[in-house]
Every structure is written in structure tokens, then in C-alpha cells.
Amino acid sequence: MTNDRETKKSTMGGDEREHRRLAMTLAAVLFLGTFQLGEGELKGDYSKLSGIIIPGFASTQLRAWSILDCPYSPLDFNPLDLVWLDTTKLLSAVNCWLKCMLLDPYNQTDNPECKSRPDSGLSAITELDPGYITGPLSSVWKEWVKWCIEFGIEANAIIAAPYDWRLSPSMLEERDLYFYKLKQTFETALKLRGGPSIVFAHSLGNNVFRYFLEWLKLEIAPKQYIQWLDDHIYAFFAVGAPLLGSTETVKGMLSGNTFGLPVSEGTARLMFNSFGSSLWMMPFSKYCRADAMYLKHFSGGIRKGPNAYQCEQKEFQSNYSGFSTNIINIEIPSTRGIDAYPSVSEFSQTNYSSMECGLPTQLSFSAREISDGTFFKAIEDYDSDSKRTLHQLKKSYHDDPVLNPLTPWDRPPIKNVFCIYGVDSRTEVGYYFAPSGKPYPDNWIITDVIYEIEGSLVSRSGNQVEGNPGPASGDETVPYHSLSWCKNWLGPRVNITRAPQSEHDGSDVQVELNVEHHNEDVVPNMTRSPRVKYITYYEDSESIPGKRTAVWELDKANHRNIVRSPALMRELWLQIWHDIHADSPSKFVTKAKRGPLRDDDCYWDYGKARCAWPEYCEYRYVFGDVHLGQSCRLRNSSADALLHYV
């Protein structure tokens, strides 16, 4: 049955008219219909909407903008050659490849011999390394774009906003005018299509979009800011957003994270630490905030001075800065005594596991102590890269004139916000480091890892670890505490629904209505079947005035592949389909049942010797079908089933 569903391909022929009816129904009024915006609602058709995709870290192709001769290799770099990601050149000419990838760690300039720039268009984000084998392995947004095409979306309605993911936020604007161009992209989409855009951001792309919203405040008069957002942005879908940072960033900065590339961890660390964006994803405390250096427009003038970084009392009363455990535990030689760490003199003695002469000292650091630079000052004498990190941290983050990105998110001032992420995968939340005895970049090794797994903390050896685990775990890359921060954006009362990710008849749907919410995590009292993957929806029952917020948690959806999840793509389309109908009785699409929407969703039920979901699917052979499941197709009347989602 699984093979039937996976190997099915669309067959063009006369019978495909029925399949196209569904696509035409979803885009039924590509040239007809009206368009109105109410309070957080879209009425009419979505033929005037645009979709703007902001990809995540390492999810945009980079191309060479230089001529670089690579000795001892038959492959050179010429203008427009693919750099990120060309695994052939990475394997055959790694030193040349690194020259095109590395940036100056202090000023973020290119190597004198080679520079790289982000590609443009949808092709820049669909497959990073196109090819028969490498293409599927490096696919990011390709399946998402295929869904758009299958549902009849116009080519000019999907717009990619690729960027150089190596740069810090301020350098994106300084070097590439990225945020200025992004503003123009929204304005062009409005003029071209006649309606606002839907923003789809993944991973670091959410941080980029947050910075854009703050940058926009300095470009638009205060009285016009909200109006501009209402005119140009209908909804924001934040997918896999590291709202409080990611602990994996720490591993990449200290020991290197290869992300599956055929390079050593030391090389990966050297490359990662040359990127200004590496600090953008550092974990930080949910209790500490900083004021912008320039409060242009809103303060009635310009105030200059250092950012005021203030923490709530909870930061010092609770452990771990709102995370589940200390993120870094590191051994440092203590032969020089406590005077070797003047930057951590305010630490209490409990931060030291041993002060015996000649024995290593173990220091523990929370998210706050990482993001404010305390950790890097503590290891400055033992790590040659710490000075660079402190310089970049102060220049590009703490003193950023637009926003200190290492501070908690407030709900974006957009009418419709959907926060979507995966849960209940094993996720790294803490590390134990020790000196390796080797020079930089291999001077630290990981001696142990702490994971969060479905509400508990365990070490790499499988032992239970004390801490403050959440009710669930993260998405393999970002911890649950960071992903779920957006639950604070929900209104005072929340409706919670848990339903299977696959098509279902509603028998396994659980609902809790009007759950009180006080700007904290919301945990449902619901059961789970161990063999079923669920989506848990948290949706405003009582909204913030003029706003609509929802949080979707997808079981076992990992960070990278969530944008390729069929369940996620189905829910996106159904929610938009629901929104365009003026007679919709509810603010959100019903979760009562989910039937097949595409031919690919139909399959052969060998137990009953018929196509599964007979009310939606039927057996209809088309020349070229090679198995029974491929001949299961949507019924002629299946388009009418969409009326159930209004």
C-alpha cells in the first residue's frame, strides 16, 4: 500500500480533466471574483494573493562571482558556477571551495580571490545541488512549489526572497540592500496581483522577517506602518522558527557541525565561525530584553547610546534562562586560579565543580550567559576565536541600530499569524566540552550531549539528567522551549484540537474548547495512540482585537523536512481555502475530517480489494498505470468535498 502511494505519477490524458477540476476549483476564480479584507479575514478569492518564501539557513544557492584557478584539480570556479552547494567541487577542490565560502570574521568581506553571491528566483531555493542523486538529497522547497503548481497557482504568484545566509542582519542591508529589496518585492506583488502577500518563512528566514519588520519601522512614518502591513501582508506562516535560538549553534561554534557534508568538524567550525549569521541563531533568555539604539519616529527623536539590556527577576530566580538545562558545561584548566576568569568574577562559587590546584574547572553557562558574551569572555584565554566572536557579537547584535536579535519575540503586528513546528523528536539541548589538546579549530571536543526526548532529559549514554524539561521535545534541531515561545502570542482563550496527520474520518479527533491562556505554554489533556502521528492545533477562541493567531504542532516532523510535509501543505491550502469564503462560520478551518485532495492521496486497500476512501476515490485505469494504487483517482465529484472545509 505504501509503495502504491509513493510511486504514483500523474498521467496526462482525457481522464486527467477530473483531477484538474480540483485544481481549478481551488483556484476557481483566477480571473473572477472580488477581494475584501476584514478584521483578520480574507473574503473573496485568493487569485490576487502572492506567496513570498523566505528560506532558512544554508537554504539558498550561492554562486561564484569570480574566476578562481584551482591547482591540482581539473575543476576551477568561473562566474555563476554553483558554490553552495556543489559537492563535486567540494570533494575535488576543497581549498578553492572554502575560499569562495569563507568571509572575513571581523568585517564580513569576501576572500580576495573569490566572492560568492546568492542566486535569484525559485530555482535558488528548490534544490541546492541539482542532480539525479544529489537533487532529492538537497531538496528544500521543491515539493512545496510542486503543490502550488498542482493546485493551479499562477507562476507570478510565488516569489522567492533568497539571501546570503552567511551575513549578519545589518550586513544584509549594508552590502545587498536586502530589506530595501524585500520591501519593494511586497509592493511589486501588490501592484502586480492586486492583493496582499502571504509570507512563508522557514528556520532562520523567520529571524530575517522579524528584522525586516523592525527595519520597516525606521523607513515608514509611524502612522503608516500598520497600514502598510495590512495592505501588503495578509498572513505570516512561521515554520520551524528558532524563536529563542537553537542550541545546535553552540556545537557548530565550538566543535563544528558538518550537516552531513564531507568535511572535517574543524573545517566546518572554521567556516561556520566566519559567518556573521552564526551568532543570529544563538540561544538566549526569554527573560532579558534590550531597547533599540535608535528609537526613530516612535520616540519623537533619536536617542543615541548603548542598548539597555535588562533582565526580569525571574532570570535570576529560575534556572537555565527558561531552557531545560545549562547549555554549555566546559572544562577549563585551573592552574591560573580564579583570576584567569575576571569576566566571570560575579559568578557564584557553585558554578565551579572543582577548585583543587591543577585539576580542571568545570563551568556551566545558561542561554543568557552565552548571548550576552559572558561565556566567550570566560574562555578568551583558551580559545583564539573568542575575541572575534565578542567583536561580532557587540558590533552586529548588541549594538545593532535596528534590533538586538538576541531578545525574545513579541507577536508580529500582522493580522494573521500561524506558528508551525515539529515536536517529539530527540533534540540536543546541552553539551559537555573539554580541551582536546589540539590547536584551533580542533581545540574542543564534545564529551557528552544532553537530549530532550518527549518530556525527559537524557545523556548520550542514556542516563536521566536533572533539569526543567518541557511537556514535549523539539524538532531535532531547535528545542521545544524555543519553538513553543509563540504560544505566548495566543489570545486569552484557546481552542485545542488534536487530529491525525493522515486522512481521517474524525473518529480520532479530540477537542478542548475555551482553555484559559495567560501568556505561557498551553498543554492539552489529551491521549495519543502510539502508532499515529498527530497535529495539535492551538487556535484563538478569544483573539487579541484585530488579530488571529494559531499554533500547529506536528508530531515527528523534523526541522529541515517539515516544509516538505504533505500534512502541512494540505493544512495550508485548506486554511486559505477556508479564508476566501465570506460565508465561513468559524475563524479557522474545521478539523472534523480530512479526505484525499489529490490523486496521489488515493491508494489501493488490499484488505478490502478496492480503492481506499471510496467516497472520494474510485478505480479508474489510465493507459500506463503499472499497479492498482496508481489507478485509484479522485472521483469526478471530489471537488465538492472542499465545501466541507468552508
Side-chain angles (χ1 to χ4, degrees):
M1 182 175 66
T2 301
N3 291 337
D4 288 351
R5 302 184 70 177
E6 291 179 350
T7 59
K8 181 177 292 186
K9 297 181 180 178
S10 299
T11 306
M12 294 304 296
D15 288 334
E16 286 302 290
R17 294 191 187 93
E18 287 80 14
H19 172 62
R20 286 198 294 269
R21 282 189 61 186
L22 175 60
M24 293 175 66
T25 304
L26 277 169
V29 275
L30 285 173
F31 305 102
L32 303 172
T34 59
F35 188 92
Q36 295 178 335
L37 278 171
E39 286 221 350
E41 298 177 345
L42 172 68
K43 304 303 180 187
D45 68 85
Y46 69 79
S47 66
K48 297 186 178 183
L49 286 173
S50 299
I52 296 181
I53 304 173
I54 306 179
F57 181 77
S59 296
T60 294
Q61 289 182 347
L62 301 178
R63 294 190 176 273
W65 197 247
S66 301
I67 300 174
L68 179 61
D69 180 26
C70 299
Y72 313 112
S73 173
L75 302 176
D76 298 327
F77 281 95
N78 294 299
L80 301 183
D81 280 358
L82 196 59
V83 177
W84 183 269
L85 182 62
D86 188 333
T87 52
T88 302
K89 290 183 177 178
L90 169 59
L91 290 169
S92 63
V94 64
N95 290 330
C96 271
W97 183 80
L98 283 173
K99 288 180 180 179
C100 296
M101 284 297 301
L102 292 173
L103 299 175
D104 184 280
Y106 282 90
N107 56 28
Q108 296 292 281
T109 55
D110 300 286
N111 187 292
E113 297 184 56
C114 184
K115 66 171 64 174
S116 299
R117 292 295 181 266
D119 202 356
S120 59
L122 285 172
S123 61
I125 66 171
T126 50
E127 286 183 345
L128 300 180
D129 188 8
Y132 183 77
I133 297 176
T134 57
L137 296 176
S138 64
S139 175
V140 185
W141 290 92
K142 185 175 181 179
E143 291 299 317
W144 196 93
V145 173
K146 285 175 64 177
W147 267 67
C148 294
I149 295 171
E150 190 168 349
F151 281 100
I153 305 301
E154 292 271 353
N156 62 3
I158 305 299
I159 305 168
Y163 58 95
D164 193 335
W165 40 267
R166 303 172 298 169
L167 298 178
S168 64
S170 57
M171 280 300 296
L172 276 176
E173 181 64 16
E174 181 180 331
R175 196 196 75 179
D176 295 346
L177 293 178
Y178 178 78
F179 299 109
Y180 172 77
K181 294 176 182 177
L182 186 57
K183 177 174 178 285
Q184 286 189 319
T185 298
F186 282 106
E187 293 172 344
T188 302
L190 176 62
K191 183 174 292 187
L192 179 66
R193 305 282 300 173
S197 298
I198 299 175
V199 177
F200 301 95
H202 177 236
S203 190
L204 181 64
N206 292 282
N207 299 32
V208 172
F209 184 63
R210 177 199 184 189
Y211 192 91
F212 168 73
L213 294 178
E214 295 298 320
W215 173 87
L216 196 64
K217 290 180 181 178
L218 308 183
E219 297 296 313
I220 297 178
K223 293 183 179 179
Q224 299 176 0
Y225 175 69
I226 297 299
Q227 187 61 51
W228 190 96
L229 294 179
D230 291 346
D231 291 343
H232 294 85
I233 303 175
Y234 167 65
F236 170 39
F237 286 85
V239 183
L243 301 174
L244 299 177
S246 173
T247 49
E248 269 201 1
T249 303
V250 172
K251 180 173 73 172
M253 295 180 69
L254 287 183
S255 66
N257 193 344
T258 65
F259 297 104
L261 295 177
V263 296
S264 68
E265 289 185 344
T267 299
R269 182 191 181 195
L270 189 70
M271 181 173 66
F272 186 69
N273 286 352
S274 77
F275 302 158
S277 63
S278 62
L279 300 174
W280 205 348
M281 298 172 286
M282 280 201 311
F284 53 86
S285 173
K286 66 181 182 180
Y287 300 119
C288 301
R289 296 180 177 271
D291 296 329
M293 184 183 295
Y294 299 96
L295 301 180
K296 187 177 179 181
H297 301 309
F298 298 117
S299 63
I302 299 178
R303 178 176 64 82
K304 297 182 179 180
N307 289 354
Y309 191 76
Q310 298 178 339
C311 297
E312 299 176 18
Q313 196 61 33
K314 288 183 180 179
E315 169 64 26
F316 307 102
Q317 294 174 346
S318 61
N319 296 325
Y320 317 130
S321 297
F323 280 74
S324 55
T325 185
N326 283 319
I327 293 170
I328 295 179
N329 304 275
I330 190 167
E331 289 185 4
I332 297 179
S334 61
T335 54
R336 295 171 56 188
I338 197 169
D339 291 339
Y341 320 107
S343 59
V344 293
S345 59
E346 76 262 17
F347 285 6
S348 64
Q349 291 295 322
T350 57
N351 197 40
Y352 297 84
S353 62
S354 173
M355 288 304 299
E356 297 180 23
C357 181
L359 294 179
T361 298
Q362 181 171 291
L363 305 178
S364 298
F365 296 89
S366 65
R368 173 182 61 84
E369 293 159 344
I370 296 171
S371 62
D372 68 8
T374 299
F375 163 69
F376 299 103
K377 292 176 184 177
I379 67 169
E380 194 169 3
D381 293 331
Y382 305 98
D383 193 283
S384 60
D385 196 52
S386 291
K387 290 184 179 179
R388 188 279 313 172
T389 303
L390 287 168
H391 169 81
Q392 197 65 252
L393 184 62
K394 184 178 189 308
K395 175 185 176 183
S396 300
Y397 293 88
H398 293 170
D399 291 345
D400 188 288
V402 175
L403 168 74
N404 179 356
L406 304 179
T407 52
W409 285 49
D410 293 323
R411 185 194 183 281
I414 297 169
K415 286 186 174 180
N416 302 289
V417 175
F418 293 79
C419 183
I420 306 164
Y421 52 87
V423 293
D424 285 342
S425 296
R426 191 176 77 159
T427 306
E428 298 174 0
V429 295
Y431 304 95
Y432 284 81
F433 293 96
S436 67
K438 299 178 181 179
Y440 178 85
D442 299 304
N443 52 318
W444 300 108
I445 59 172
I446 296 178
T447 59
D448 203 356
V449 179
I450 302 173
Y451 300 94
E452 61 177 8
I453 304 176
E454 299 183 10
S456 62
L457 298 177
V458 298
S459 66
R460 187 158 55 184
S461 60
N463 297 324
Q464 291 287 328
V465 177
E466 292 185 3
N468 183 32
S473 53
D475 64 0
E476 292 188 8
T477 301
V478 183
Y480 174 80
H481 287 78
S482 180
L483 293 165
S484 63
W485 174 251
C486 56
K487 287 185 179 178
N488 290 274
W489 302 347
L490 293 165
R493 291 186 179 275
V494 179
N495 292 335
I496 306 175
T497 307
R498 177 169 289 167
Q501 292 184 23
S502 60
E503 292 80 14
H504 61 87
D505 59 6
S507 59
D508 192 16
V509 174
Q510 304 169 68
V511 180
E512 292 182 10
L513 300 177
N514 296 316
V515 178
E516 291 191 2
H517 172 242
H518 304 286
N519 294 324
E520 56 189 15
D521 198 359
V522 184
V523 182
N525 183 21
M526 296 178 175
T527 60
R528 291 176 180 271
S529 172
R531 296 184 178 181
V532 178
K533 294 181 181 179
Y534 293 95
I535 303 181
T536 306
Y537 309 83
Y538 304 82
E539 299 169 332
D540 283 345
S541 169
E542 181 181 337
S543 301
I544 300 170
K547 302 290 188 290
R548 183 178 60 156
T549 309
V551 176
W552 300 348
E553 293 180 345
L554 280 73
D555 290 357
K556 305 298 182 180
N558 72 43
H559 186 76
R560 178 178 177 83
N561 293 330
I562 190 172
V563 295
R564 295 187 287 177
S565 165
L568 171 59
M569 290 185 279
R570 179 196 68 212
E571 294 305 310
L572 290 177
W573 293 122
L574 290 180
Q575 185 61 54
I576 295 172
W577 172 256
H578 167 274
D579 285 359
I580 67 175
H581 286 80
D583 55 347
S584 301
S586 61
K587 293 189 296 184
F588 298 97
V589 65
T590 178
K591 314 299 186 299
K593 65 184 303 184
R594 288 289 182 269
L597 292 181
R598 307 175 302 156
D599 282 350
D600 283 355
D601 298 331
C602 297
Y603 58 93
W604 185 260
D605 186 339
Y606 287 93
K608 297 181 179 179
R610 68 181 186 190
C611 291
W613 296 96
E615 59 183 304
Y616 295 94
C617 305
E618 65 180 1
Y619 182 84
R620 193 167 69 252
Y621 175 81
V622 173
F623 180 76
D625 291 349
V626 295
H627 54 75
L628 293 171
Q630 196 171 358
S631 299
C632 291
R633 292 179 167 84
L634 292 170
R635 291 182 176 274
N636 296 343
S637 60
S638 293
D640 297 334
L642 288 170
L643 297 177
H644 295 297
Y645 303 113
V646 174

